[in-house]
Amino acid sequence: MLRSLFKSRPSRATAETLYALAADQARTPAFYTRLGVADRIDARFELYTLHVLLLVLRLRHEGDQGAETAQALFDTYVSSLDDTLRELGVGDMAVAKKMRKLGEALYGRMQAYEAAIVEADEAALSAALARNVYESEDPAAGAALARYALDSRARLADQPAATLAAGPHWGEIG
């Protein structure tokens, strides 16, 4: 029992690496130049969420270890959101309230995106991304980003899980 309590958590280290890779990918200038994503904090939140979700979905196919790493990745992302709020100067009293709102938004986005991604429903994903990323009711606004996400999902599925932390194979942007 004590051995399991004090054993190292490789999934946590892997999760931190994967989060950094997802964040780097979400910052790729092509999202902002080619796909027209506005360089605003809420749009960046959407791209971070999309990339973390793509990795979480991939990891879930790796049994218990993958599920543990997926949960650690999600936890790392939430912790990063908390850290970002604090860096932006949000006071301790307001962080909990803002984190609750962010958590609700995160949960909602992940539900909307996950269902569409798992079903490879480009129309539904386009509509969700148009609404959340581009603040548009026109699904065509999110079509290129939806194609990218579905392409990324396929490429990640083809990549062995053991090599994900060396650099996930994302889709083509635009």
Side-chain angles (χ1 to χ4, degrees):
M1 181 171 152
L2 286 177
R3 193 174 299 153
S4 66
L5 180 64
F6 293 108
K7 74 177 184 176
S8 67
R9 293 285 187 177
S11 64
R12 185 67 176 169
T14 300
E16 289 172 1
T17 299
L18 289 172
Y19 175 71
L21 292 166
D24 285 346
Q25 182 66 11
R27 291 185 197 113
T28 301
F31 288 115
Y32 307 95
T33 58
R34 284 190 221 149
L35 300 187
V37 174
D39 191 10
R40 299 183 324 261
I41 195 164
D42 56 330
R44 289 191 301 265
F45 166 79
E46 299 295 342
L47 288 179
Y48 279 50
T49 299
L50 178 63
H51 286 89
V52 167
L53 176 62
L54 288 166
L55 289 173
V56 164
L57 291 173
R58 172 61 185 87
L59 291 165
R60 285 183 187 163
H61 290 283
E62 297 301 317
D64 291 341
Q65 182 64 37
E68 183 180 320
T69 303
Q71 183 62 53
L73 173 57
F74 179 81
D75 294 345
T76 300
Y77 181 36
V78 171
S79 178
S80 175
L81 291 172
D82 182 271
D83 293 345
T84 299
L85 285 175
R86 292 175 192 282
E87 287 172 11
L88 290 171
V90 176
D92 288 339
M93 298 299 283
V95 167
K97 187 176 186 179
K98 290 197 180 286
M99 278 303 296
R100 187 178 74 244
K101 285 184 180 183
L102 271 175
E104 290 169 0
L106 177 61
Y107 181 74
R109 298 314 189 271
M110 286 191 149
Q111 275 192 316
Y113 299 162
E114 180 177 359
I117 291 169
V118 169
E119 297 297 320
D121 185 343
E122 186 176 329
L125 186 56
S126 293
L129 291 168
R131 189 173 44 256
N132 296 320
V133 177
Y134 297 96
E135 297 180 340
S136 173
E137 292 304 317
D138 180 6
L145 186 54
R147 284 190 296 276
Y148 161 80
L150 294 174
D151 183 33
S152 291
R153 162 87 183 207
R155 288 177 184 226
L156 290 169
D158 289 343
Q159 184 177 358
T163 64
L164 283 174
H169 297 160
W170 303 104
E172 292 294 321
I173 302 171

